[in-house]
Amino acid sequence: MSRPAFDPATYDAQLAEKRARLVELLAPFAAPEPVVFDSPREHYRMRAEFRLWREDGQRHYAMFAPGDKHTPILLDDFPIASLRINELMPRLRAAWQASEALSFKLFQVEFLTTLAGDALITLAYHRPLDEAWQAEAEKLAAELNVSLVGRSRGQRLVIGRDYVEEELNVAGRSFRYRQPEGAFTQPNGRVCEKMLGWAYDVLGERDDDLLELYCGNGNFTLPLATRVRRVLATEISKTSVNAALANLADNGVDNVELVRLSAEELTQALNEVRPFRRLAGVDLKSYEFGSVFVDPPRAGMDPDTCELTRRFERILYISCNPETLAANIAQLNDTHKVTRSALFDQFPYTHHMEAGVLLERR
């Protein structure tokens, strides 16, 4: 099967279609025209995952069309992935072709890279990893100047670091981020910078406090914390919480309190439905929240969390699913109006898009 269509000549037309779809979704709420933030046309994706497919006695990088796990699309390069991934792909393939210890029962490869040039490769196996693998992997990591993670059932061996280091510039300041292997990070680095800049600008300089739900590794937390007095941020993933704490320390951001709670649990805590041990020592009543920032998963905010955000003067909402964004706005529309909107093209050549809105109390 041939590789998926990749034609930068179609980019502008696809982006115009996405803009029209977002305008249509936000039309019932009298939203202003969205600001559109485009993507680089190629080499924009900082991470990529490939299955390996045996053909003619060799393993090849492969991807599959949605719903078809039997017809591989064999790849030598991947133009939408970062230049660093494209540089590493043939070198890694040559390494496993030359080494039985590296290739035996290897079935999946993941690349994680950054705009700052860092790289981590995860190799997944259907067998236990032994000393021979470790020795070959250490040599390979040195040759490629990458960190390596080997995974098999019940095993995770790390050579170097189990994260990459990114550097993103927002409003003239550079922020450093640890991005852990296996944890969520925004895939399009340049568009991520544009998202951070937009959110920073829209929040504005405030003399009150910010509540942040779904904070991940602190991607938005770091720049937004410089705009407010204090931040209370929540995240449920342990890996992301640990990365966020490291990122706050690395950047000298000291006005953020991070708690490992889901958005639903924090809603219960603020409504005094029940106490949480993880909130011991956190004086919720000392916060003067003026704004809430949310970046929920594709399902959007659950109804109770949506009701919680209604209490705030400003709701700054980043969404990876404009349909659930529109559903959440419909729930809030009687008390809040959309005053700013944006389209971020995180995922060129697909129907997916990222959107942002600011809702302010009527």
Side-chain angles (χ1 to χ4, degrees):
M1 182 175 175
S2 62
R3 66 163 65 231
F6 166 73
D7 183 4
T10 67
Y11 179 82
D12 290 338
Q14 291 184 6
L15 186 58
E17 286 178 17
K18 291 181 183 181
R19 181 196 163 280
R21 184 156 62 93
L22 182 60
V23 167
E24 184 181 352
L25 284 166
L26 297 181
F29 315 113
E33 283 284 308
V35 182
V36 177
F37 295 92
D38 67 347
S39 168
R41 277 37 171 188
E42 58 183 353
H43 301 310
Y44 52 82
R45 194 173 170 85
M46 295 293 106
R47 61 176 196 252
E49 177 182 307
F50 303 99
R51 297 297 291 239
L52 298 191
W53 188 268
R54 286 187 75 91
E55 197 163 285
D56 302 326
Q58 296 287 355
R59 283 181 173 81
H60 301 267
Y61 295 106
M63 301 187 94
F64 298 84
D68 179 359
K69 294 185 178 179
H70 305 290
T71 313
I73 303 163
L74 304 184
L75 302 167
D76 291 318
D77 57 9
F78 197 44
I80 71 171
S82 68
L83 286 169
R84 185 85 164 102
I85 291 174
N86 280 275
E87 179 252 328
L88 287 168
M89 285 174 70
R91 297 175 67 193
L92 176 62
R93 183 172 56 197
W96 80 57
Q97 286 175 348
S99 168
E100 177 72 9
L102 289 175
S103 66
F104 183 53
K105 295 201 172 180
L106 173 66
F107 73 93
Q108 184 168 295
V109 174
E110 297 171 27
F111 294 92
L112 178 61
T113 63
T114 67
L115 296 172
D118 207 0
L120 183 151
I121 300 172
T122 302
L123 304 175
Y125 291 84
H126 286 312
R127 68 168 177 100
L129 301 177
D130 55 18
E131 290 180 3
W133 180 88
Q134 179 94 22
E136 288 287 289
E138 286 176 359
K139 189 170 73 173
L140 176 63
E143 286 173 359
L144 299 183
N145 190 27
V146 301
S147 292
L148 269 178
V149 175
R151 284 187 175 273
S152 68
R153 186 184 295 275
Q155 256 186 319
R156 180 174 179 268
L157 302 182
V158 179
I159 296 164
R161 301 185 309 242
D162 65 351
Y163 60 87
V164 291
E165 292 184 332
E166 180 60 290
E167 198 166 299
L168 300 174
N169 293 295
V170 184
R173 177 173 171 179
S174 179
F175 293 93
R176 298 193 316 281
Y177 294 89
R178 299 185 193 189
Q179 298 180 340
E181 184 255 355
F184 173 79
T185 51
Q186 297 286 352
N188 190 323
R190 288 294 172 215
V191 174
C192 182
E193 274 189 328
K194 294 176 180 182
M195 291 167 62
L196 297 178
W198 181 83
Y200 176 94
D201 176 59
V202 166
L203 180 61
E205 195 79 41
R206 316 229 64 94
D207 58 5
D208 52 17
D209 302 327
L210 173 70
L211 175 65
E212 181 182 4
L213 308 179
Y214 323 95
C215 78
N217 73 339
N219 187 45
F220 285 93
T221 319
L222 298 182
L224 294 185
T226 68
R227 301 293 259 170
V228 296
R229 195 181 63 156
R230 289 194 297 165
V231 180
L232 178 65
T234 71
E235 170 58 47
I236 192 62
S237 159
K238 269 187 183 177
T239 303
S240 294
V241 166
N242 290 335
L245 290 170
N247 291 336
L248 291 167
D250 288 349
N251 289 274
V253 176
D254 60 4
N255 63 334
V256 176
E257 193 140 29
L258 182 59
V259 292
R260 195 171 70 82
L261 292 175
S262 68
E264 294 84 352
E265 288 170 332
L266 185 73
T267 299
Q268 293 176 351
L270 290 170
N271 289 337
E272 300 182 350
V273 172
R274 65 187 182 100
F276 290 88
R277 276 182 305 176
R278 278 168 280 170
L279 281 170
V282 179
D283 184 3
L284 290 178
K285 289 186 166 61
S286 71
Y287 285 89
E288 296 174 15
F289 293 119
S291 309
V292 59
F293 175 79
V294 297
D295 182 9
R298 289 190 60 75
M301 290 190 288
D302 67 276
D304 288 344
T305 303
C306 208
E307 283 304 307
L308 171 70
T309 64
R310 193 192 295 280
R311 301 178 189 180
F312 299 84
E313 287 294 317
R314 287 168 301 281
I315 305 166
L316 185 51
Y317 192 142
I318 297 287
S319 169
C320 59
N321 184 349
E323 277 79 14
T324 55
L325 169 65
N328 284 160
I329 295 173
Q331 184 175 339
L332 296 164
N333 194 45
D334 57 334
T335 55
H336 288 71
K337 63 180 178 182
V338 181
T339 57
R340 302 276 291 271
S341 70
L343 164 62
F344 309 100
D345 197 20
Q346 272 275 355
F347 310 100
Y349 315 108
T350 77
H351 71 280
H352 295 293
M353 63 173 159
E354 202 100 0
V357 296
L358 175 67
L359 295 133
E360 295 187 274
R361 193 180 299 283
R362 292 185 181 278

